[in-house]
Amino acid sequence: MNKKDSAPSPTRQSLTETRRIYAMVFEQQKTSPPKTILVTSGWRHEGKTTLTCNLAALSAQEKKKNTLLIDCNWFAPRVHTHFNIPELPPTDAPRIPIPPLHNVANVPGIENLSVLTAPALPRSESWKYAHSDENIMAFLKKTKATYDQVFIDAPSVFPTNRNMNDPMSLSNVMDGVILVSLVNVTSKSKTKRACCALQANGAPILGVVANQWRNPLARS
């Protein structure tokens, strides 16, 4: 297989951290593990897409789960670049919450992983499609019946804009939500604000991931 056709491999450190997060979310729960997971962040550029892609790849490769990864960040989609696959072609539908499941793409080099990429829309047009409606429940029910695990890469909670699929609307219909915070970049107050907003909306928050945290007692 050509290198350009394969998905990028995570570093050893990121793989270790991904395994740890996966175990806490799916393997250490006293109740049934969640099937649909939404990953978001308080603010932009905190590493949520990388975490979502790594969790989905781990689920498919190591855990042998039939896994679906959905890119709902239509304003600034990144999932397709992580796996070197194309975006969906632009759609002419007037209002859709998420592209239909028959548009899923298989990821070269990763068995059991399917990706539903964001449609290739110019930012000036994405607001026409970026919304969630009553069909989201039926869509998630269908994905649960088809896949073992479903991961959604959502936009950040703040700042809000009309061009995005609102993570607040998506979060309260998921089995679990992971919030990502970039250490030493995003203040604790901003992360707390996003967390409180999600909780007030009824989101089942599983935890907050401190991205790029370093143990101050560890040797450099």
Side-chain angles (χ1 to χ4, degrees):
M1 179 180 294
N2 294 333
K3 186 175 181 180
K4 67 179 182 179
D5 293 330
S6 60
S9 300
T11 64
R12 180 177 298 178
Q13 181 177 354
S14 66
L15 183 56
T16 299
E17 293 303 319
T18 302
R19 287 183 180 134
R20 185 176 302 168
I21 295 168
Y22 185 96
M24 293 180 67
V25 173
F26 297 101
E27 299 171 349
Q28 297 179 14
Q29 300 289 330
K30 294 182 180 180
T31 58
S32 299
K35 291 195 70 172
T36 57
I37 297 290
L38 181 138
V39 183
T40 185
S41 58
W43 301 79
R44 296 173 184 166
H45 312 302
E46 300 204 64
K48 62 178 180 54
T49 297
T50 298
L51 175 63
T52 313
C53 292
N54 286 348
L55 285 171
L58 177 68
S59 171
Q61 281 187 306
E62 294 194 7
K63 306 301 179 179
K64 307 302 181 184
K65 303 285 188 180
N66 187 19
T67 305
L68 175 65
L69 170 57
I70 305 171
D71 191 345
C72 277
N73 191 8
W74 293 4
F75 183 67
R78 293 288 182 273
V79 168
H80 64 287
T81 62
H82 189 94
F83 292 110
N84 299 320
I85 56 178
E87 293 177 278
L88 284 177
T91 177
D92 293 327
R95 289 174 68 84
I96 53 173
I98 295 177
L101 279 178
H102 66 255
N103 285 320
V104 297
N106 295 323
V107 177
I110 302 183
E111 267 189 81
N112 306 316
L113 179 58
S114 300
V115 175
L116 192 56
T117 59
L121 300 170
R123 288 191 174 189
S124 60
E125 295 293 318
S126 60
W127 68 270
K128 296 179 181 179
Y129 307 92
H131 79 290
S132 299
D133 62 14
E134 65 277 3
N135 292 327
I136 186 66
M137 290 298 292
F139 176 83
L140 289 175
K141 184 177 180 180
K142 187 175 182 179
T143 63
K144 282 185 177 184
T146 307
Y147 296 91
D148 299 321
Q149 289 181 347
V150 180
F151 294 89
I152 291 184
D153 180 35
S156 59
V157 177
F158 300 110
T160 59
N161 67 75
R162 68 174 187 170
N163 291 41
M164 70 180 186
N165 282 303
D166 187 5
M168 301 291 287
S169 299
L170 294 170
S171 63
N172 60 7
V173 295
M174 306 297 294
D175 293 337
V177 176
I178 297 174
L179 183 66
V180 180
S181 177
L182 186 58
V183 175
N184 295 325
V185 174
T186 303
S187 66
K188 292 181 180 179
S189 62
K190 286 185 176 181
T191 300
K192 183 177 180 180
R193 179 186 171 193
C195 189
C196 289
L198 288 166
Q199 288 178 324
N201 197 51
I205 298 179
L206 300 173
V208 178
V209 173
N211 190 19
Q212 297 187 12
W213 179 81
R214 296 291 184 271
N215 187 343
L217 300 179
R219 294 181 179 180
S220 57

